[in-house]
Amino acid sequence: MIFNQTEEQEREYLQSVISIVRGVVANTDHSVKEHVDTLQEYKEYLWNNKDIDPQEIRSMRESILNLYASGESVISKRARIARIIDNPYFGRIDFRKEGEKGSATPIYIGVQNFYHRKKCANLIYDWRAPVAGMFYDQETGEAGYQSPSGAVRGEISLKRQYRIRRSCLEFMIESSVTIQDDILQKELSANSDEKMRNIVATIQKEQNRIIRNMDAQVLIIQGVAGSGKTSIALHRIAYLLYAMKGGLKSSDVLIISPNKVFADYISNVLPELGEETVPESSVGEIFSGVLNNKYHYQTFFDQAEELISDPEPAFVERVIYKSSFEFVSLLERFIIFVENNFFNAVDLKLTDHITIPAEYIEAQFRRFHRYSMRGRFDAMADYIVEMAYTDCGIAVSCSDRRKLRQKIKGMFAGNDDIEVYRQFCKWIGKAELFKLGKGRSLEYSDLAPLAYIHLALEGNVNVSKVKHLLVDEMQDYTPIQYKVLKMLFICKKTIMGDMGQTLTPYSRSDADMIKKVFTDGVVMKLCKSYRSTYEIADFARKIKVVQEMEPIARHGDKPVVVKYGSYKEEISGIVGLINDFRGSSYESLGIICRSEHVAAEMSEQLGDFVDDLTYISTQSASFSRGAVIMSVCMAKGLEFDEVIIPCMDGYKSDSDSGLLYIAVTRALHRVTLTHSLGKND
């Protein structure tokens, strides 16, 4: 007999589960009130009894601290349980283990686990639990999963999916295979949210394999536009936090994201999954930190903007060369050259009567080869002082020891990172490779090699405590940047991106190039594109050929190209499109421009005609709902119900096809491209 066979029975069961959850929340509220009342009593007691014994005061304060800690735990538990009420679960499998008699056990699967103490049973299983993996990967019939105690085999006799919103069952679907297309279509047809949402109800088999991969030291995910790679990577983090509870905390994870806006856009996913948000940073911030934040530097977006906007050929050549493996190889060889040639020992007077020969000092520099080059000076000074006392009975003062260290340090010609970098460029016959920008700022492409030189000579003195590194937009980083990340983070990594979404053809990496740096890397691919309609995806593939893209069969309007007689008419036409959007059911509109310059100018001009249009620049720190205008660089990773791409005539070169491809693939439902006979970028 099937438990809750009919839809009506399922509705009744849902309400019974919600009633139980609400009861637990009410009890928790009572517990919170008790904590608050007790704390108030303790405080009043201390206030009214100021002459009590100091030992009692310490005891009371300790009790108050314990109450605070337990109270915070209760409040956290309440918040976690309360989230279940709106949407307790999304799926169910009925599973019977081999050898078990009677009916199969119904297993309801939701965002988080809910255990009912009175029934001594799980009413809801966390989607990350081993048994829940069968919901994503296996069909009805023979099935099994790997539990902590070993393999479990059995049979799935029923598989259901539910759409529950605001505690009401909207519909349920019987499914004999993996995640039912009907549910997926309904979710994909919905409008975009203000921020990225979790996708636990529609995780596909190939996505689930990536999420639950526990073996790969470095997992490299190549995913086409709209394949959900960032969302999948965040769900992977949530899974690892669950599977490694006690060994991995949110604070042990670091996300390298392209910008603050994108970081804000994805900030909801982990809390929705019951986990705390994880720290976030950028490659520029990390490398600048290695260099003790001593230098002003061009940001990644500044570099991209310069490369997009008619750059000087010499600048392009510098970026291209510093993005090559040849550059990395020569830099590695140069570090060996520095060790063999940059320490020039000279005779050194330890006292008025004792001179240390240059040969002896040179021998000590080689003797301490296990230290970093700049880390040897203290060890050398200490050893020489120790030998002076042991062999000659001469005691050296602390002051003289410090002077000795400084003199030894002065024999090394590699104490200044910038100067070493200049010497490297001359050594390879490309002195022009290093050029300071306006205000003596570093070019973005110089940050990584300078950080590499610093780490190679100084040593990684501040070993990172990060236990899992997540790198997004992998195609935008170069081999030397990956080399530095490898030196900094000796931990497991998830690296994801899409070669089809490179901003420029001058500095980029694909999965195979990344594997040259991380030789233990495992490449997994996501080829299905879920974001855009088939018509939009097909249009995008004509702009830039992406052989591996498999658009899902969700249909909608074809992208429209509109030509205007003048730039002024184009602005007026875009104003009309914005007004049409506001009269539609869509909730988000992205006006995506080729460059930051065009976006800023168009934002100013459109602002004269429309209200509530948000300009998101490279300086912005948060994502906004409604109608926004931004550059292609800032739009990467985001999605909108509708996209308008103005000044299409500005996309002139073959390399611009990548920018246009990125802009088009931001759209879920509708794309309009405009151009005119007048002004362009």
Side-chain angles (χ1 to χ4, degrees):
M1 180 178 176
I2 298 176
F3 177 75
N4 293 337
Q5 184 166 2
T6 67
E7 187 166 327
E8 186 56 37
Q9 288 172 330
E10 287 282 20
R11 291 182 190 279
E12 291 175 4
Y13 179 73
L14 171 63
Q15 293 310 312
S16 72
V17 170
I18 290 171
S19 177
I20 291 169
V21 175
R22 282 181 173 148
V24 173
V25 171
N27 288 337
T28 309
D29 286 340
H30 179 70
S31 178
V32 170
K33 186 177 183 306
E34 284 184 341
H35 273 78
V36 172
D37 291 344
T38 305
L39 278 170
Q40 188 60 33
E41 287 176 13
Y42 282 174
K43 288 178 180 178
E44 288 176 1
Y45 180 80
L46 286 172
W47 181 259
N48 295 327
N49 298 272
K50 295 182 179 178
D51 297 329
I52 60 176
D53 182 81
Q55 182 64 36
E56 186 177 357
I57 291 175
R58 284 194 293 271
S59 177
M60 291 287 287
R61 284 177 176 168
E62 187 175 333
S63 297
I64 288 172
L65 289 173
N66 289 336
L67 266 172
Y68 266 119
S70 61
E72 286 179 355
S73 176
V74 170
I75 291 169
S76 175
K77 177 184 176 184
R78 184 203 180 283
R80 181 174 56 80
I81 296 172
R83 280 198 293 265
I84 297 174
I85 294 173
D86 182 57
N87 182 10
Y89 46 81
F90 54 82
R92 167 185 167 183
I93 53 174
D94 286 8
F95 181 70
R96 182 169 57 192
K97 296 179 185 177
E98 281 182 350
E100 278 189 345
K101 296 180 180 179
S103 301
T105 302
I107 297 166
Y108 285 83
I109 300 164
V111 171
Q112 57 185 293
N113 186 76
F114 183 75
Y115 182 79
H116 191 222
R117 289 186 177 180
K118 289 184 179 179
K119 293 187 176 182
C120 297
N122 268 340
L123 296 186
I124 305 168
Y125 285 81
D126 193 298
W127 66 278
R128 298 168 290 185
V131 68
M134 293 189 293
F135 175 75
Y136 299 108
D137 291 341
Q138 302 186 34
E139 305 175 8
T140 52
E142 290 186 9
Y145 64 95
Q146 192 71 29
S147 77
S149 58
V152 178
R153 300 299 304 172
E155 180 185 13
I156 296 175
S157 56
L158 177 73
K159 195 170 181 181
R160 276 183 185 161
Q161 291 177 263
Y162 308 95
R163 174 75 176 268
I164 300 171
R165 293 290 184 273
R166 298 181 180 86
S167 305
C168 293
L169 176 62
E170 294 182 0
F171 57 81
M172 74 178 200
I173 294 175
E174 301 286 335
S175 174
S176 60
V177 293
T178 52
I179 306 303
Q180 180 74 345
D181 189 56
D182 291 348
I183 291 273
L184 181 60
Q185 288 284 0
K186 289 178 185 291
E187 292 294 333
L188 295 176
S189 298
N191 290 334
S192 68
D193 287 350
E194 183 174 356
K195 296 192 177 176
M196 184 180 284
R197 54 194 174 190
N198 79 71
I199 58 167
V200 289
T202 57
I203 291 171
Q204 303 296 288
K205 189 172 183 178
E206 71 276 10
Q207 296 172 332
N208 196 46
R209 282 200 299 269
I210 291 173
I211 290 170
R212 293 174 186 260
N213 186 308
M214 294 286 289
D215 299 324
Q217 185 68 23
V218 178
L219 186 59
I220 304 167
I221 306 168
Q222 163 59 40
V224 299
S227 59
K229 51 192 171 292
T230 301
S231 183
I232 292 307
L234 291 170
H235 284 68
R236 170 169 167 74
I237 294 301
Y239 175 77
L240 294 174
L241 290 170
Y242 173 91
M244 300 171 65
K245 189 162 286 187
L248 185 71
K249 307 187 299 293
S250 296
S251 57
D252 296 330
V253 181
L254 178 66
I255 296 177
I256 295 181
S257 63
N259 56 68
K260 299 295 182 186
V261 172
F262 182 73
D264 178 62
Y265 178 66
I266 66 175
S267 62
N268 267 19
V269 176
L270 286 170
E272 281 185 4
L273 297 172
E275 301 293 347
E276 295 178 9
T277 55
V278 302
E280 168 273 332
S281 189
S282 69
V283 158
E285 289 171 337
I286 292 168
F287 293 173
S288 179
V290 170
L291 299 167
N292 301 312
N293 299 307
K294 289 198 299 186
Y295 311 106
H296 292 291
Y297 61 92
Q298 180 188 46
T299 68
F300 168 73
F301 290 107
D302 291 337
Q303 175 183 277
E305 184 76 6
E306 189 169 347
L307 290 171
I308 289 168
S309 307
D310 193 24
E312 293 181 2
F315 177 69
V316 174
E317 287 177 16
R318 290 196 296 275
V319 171
I320 290 174
Y321 188 74
K322 285 179 276 193
S323 302
S324 68
F325 273 101
E326 179 186 346
F327 178 78
V328 176
S329 177
L330 287 172
L331 193 51
E332 289 173 334
R333 285 168 55 192
F334 181 70
I335 294 300
I336 298 172
F337 176 81
V338 168
E339 183 166 17
N340 291 328
N341 296 276
F342 273 43
F343 188 77
N344 301 304
V346 295
D347 291 348
L348 183 63
K349 275 200 168 190
L350 184 62
T351 68
D352 290 339
H353 306 291
I354 296 178
T355 299
I356 306 170
E359 294 80 4
Y360 183 81
I361 296 172
E362 176 76 28
Q364 302 321 306
F365 184 77
R366 303 299 163 199
R367 185 174 190 275
F368 289 97
H369 65 91
R370 293 186 182 277
Y371 289 72
S372 67
M373 279 177 255
R374 292 177 186 165
R376 298 178 194 181
F377 310 137
D378 276 340
M380 290 169 65
D382 289 344
Y383 183 77
I384 290 170
V385 167
E386 184 183 334
M387 289 300 102
Y389 183 78
T390 302
D391 295 345
C392 305
I394 297 174
V396 180
S397 69
C398 291
S399 175
D400 287 340
R401 186 191 299 245
R402 283 194 297 271
K403 289 177 183 177
L404 176 62
R405 181 193 178 281
Q406 288 301 317
K407 289 176 181 178
I408 293 172
K409 181 181 178 181
M411 299 176 191
F412 185 60
N415 291 312
D416 182 87
D417 295 328
I418 292 284
E419 188 54 38
V420 173
Y421 191 36
R422 288 186 196 277
Q423 291 299 319
F424 164 69
C425 295
K426 291 178 182 177
W427 186 74
I428 61 174
K430 294 180 180 290
E432 73 284 356
L433 203 61
F434 178 64
K435 182 179 180 182
L436 290 172
K438 295 177 182 177
R440 295 185 60 78
S441 64
L442 298 172
E443 291 182 349
Y444 175 73
S445 57
D446 287 324
L447 262 184
L450 273 170
Y452 179 87
I453 286 170
H454 184 87
L455 289 168
L457 300 183
E458 196 81 37
N460 191 7
V461 292
N462 298 313
V463 179
S464 171
K465 295 179 181 178
V466 171
K467 294 181 180 178
H468 198 101
L469 182 71
L470 193 156
V471 181
D472 202 358
E473 302 294 349
M474 69 181 188
Q475 70 280 359
D476 290 335
Y477 305 118
T478 62
I480 185 61
Q481 290 175 321
Y482 280 115
K483 198 80 177 177
V484 176
L485 290 177
K486 184 178 182 180
M487 294 167 75
L488 285 172
F489 301 101
I490 308 169
C491 62
K492 287 194 171 185
K493 301 171 183 69
T494 299
I495 303 172
M496 70 275 192
D498 174 20
M499 266 302 292
Q501 296 184 63
T502 50
L503 288 171
T504 72
Y506 310 119
S507 60
R508 58 184 182 177
S509 294
D510 59 23
D512 291 335
M513 290 171 70
I514 296 168
K515 273 205 71 174
K516 287 184 181 179
V517 178
F518 300 104
T519 53
D520 54 352
V522 175
V523 179
M524 299 184 78
K525 294 185 177 182
L526 293 170
C527 298
K528 287 186 179 178
S529 179
Y530 299 99
R531 177 187 297 132
S532 305
T533 62
Y534 181 87
E535 287 72 17
I536 293 173
D538 191 51
F539 183 83
R541 287 190 299 180
K542 291 173 183 174
I543 295 169
K544 185 171 186 176
V545 177
V546 180
Q547 301 286 0
E548 294 181 330
M549 179 185 275
E550 302 171 19
I552 195 164
R554 179 175 67 86
H555 292 283
D557 298 332
K558 289 184 177 180
V560 176
V561 180
V562 183
K563 184 176 182 180
Y564 295 94
S566 67
Y567 181 68
K568 185 176 180 181
E569 287 181 15
E570 184 175 1
I571 294 294
S572 178
I574 292 171
V575 171
L577 291 170
I578 295 171
N579 290 331
D580 290 344
F581 157 74
R582 287 180 173 155
S584 73
S585 60
Y586 294 148
E587 296 180 3
S588 62
L589 168 67
I591 303 170
I592 303 177
C593 303
R594 180 177 178 273
S595 69
E596 182 89 354
H597 168 72
V598 175
E601 187 176 272
M602 182 154 287
S603 173
E604 186 176 338
Q605 293 182 356
L606 291 174
D608 294 335
F609 303 100
V610 295
D611 297 324
D612 299 327
L613 176 64
T614 303
Y615 169 45
I616 296 180
S617 73
T618 54
Q619 304 304 311
S620 300
S622 61
F623 184 71
S624 300
R625 194 179 181 89
V628 301
I629 183 166
M630 61 178 66
S631 67
V632 173
C633 294
M634 292 301 295
K636 288 183 69 176
L638 307 179
E639 63 180 34
F640 305 90
D641 294 324
E642 181 178 354
V643 164
I644 298 171
I645 304 173
C647 304
M648 193 184 77
D649 43 325
Y651 297 84
K652 301 170 185 176
S653 65
D654 290 342
S655 61
D656 282 342
S657 62
L659 298 175
L660 195 57
Y661 175 84
I662 294 168
V664 168
T665 55
R666 300 308 94 202
L668 276 77
H669 310 300
R670 182 187 293 169
V671 174
T672 306
L673 303 94
T674 69
H675 64 113
S676 62
L677 300 176
K679 186 177 178 181
N680 58 46
D681 188 26

